[in-house]
Amino acid sequence: MEKNLMSFTQVLFFSVNETAEGQILVAGLRGNAFIKSQSDIDFTEIDIAQTATINTILPLEDSTLLFANSGLIHNFDGQKVSSEQLPSGQAILSATIFKNKVILATEKGLITWGDSK
């Protein structure tokens, strides 16, 4: 679904990153996320069911992870989003990859999460 320019400019963004495919992905307030390839004129909305604010974007080889408040982790494969939630429900503020593990900076400290593929 494509949002018009007025809706896009009313979103407060907290993270921007390039995907493995060379697209620009921006995300932020209330779970809003948009993507744009170099050949596109406008950004296209990414459909994310949960409305928790997305704080950081981490590109992987075959997908992109988006980390949000309420412990939500969204996996965007270029077409669709799948989501899971940390059992603690802690907000995820930032993330990086270290030794094939995703290290999360949460509101209560650092957490190691899964394989980075």
Side-chain angles (χ1 to χ4, degrees):
M1 172 195 325
E2 201 169 305
K3 281 201 171 186
N4 63 36
L5 187 56
M6 186 64 152
S7 296
F8 179 79
T9 59
Q10 292 175 341
V11 174
L12 182 59
F13 296 109
F14 296 118
S15 190
V16 61
N17 214 325
E18 182 178 5
T19 67
E21 294 80 26
Q23 298 171 300
I24 297 296
L25 197 149
V26 297
L29 196 62
R30 296 187 187 103
N32 286 289
F34 298 83
I35 194 160
K36 177 186 176 313
S37 70
Q38 292 181 8
S39 62
D40 292 336
I41 295 172
D42 295 319
F43 280 84
T44 302
E45 183 180 22
I46 297 171
D47 186 23
I48 298 177
Q50 294 85 356
T51 59
T53 294
I54 298 169
N55 297 308
T56 198
I57 298 167
L58 183 63
L60 302 176
E61 290 180 21
D62 58 355
S63 65
T64 302
L65 298 176
L66 298 94
F67 299 96
N69 290 344
S70 301
L72 286 167
I73 302 170
H74 307 294
N75 187 332
F76 178 61
D77 68 5
Q79 301 295 317
K80 63 181 176 10
V81 174
S82 59
S83 301
E84 68 177 90
Q85 187 170 18
L86 293 177
S88 67
Q90 297 172 0
I92 304 166
L93 307 173
S94 189
T96 192
I97 297 174
F98 181 72
K99 295 187 178 184
N100 290 328
K101 297 286 183 184
V102 177
I103 308 299
L104 307 175
T106 73
E107 64 184 301
K108 300 275 181 156
L110 298 177
I111 295 174
T112 302
W113 177 79
D115 290 324
S116 67
K117 299 178 186 178

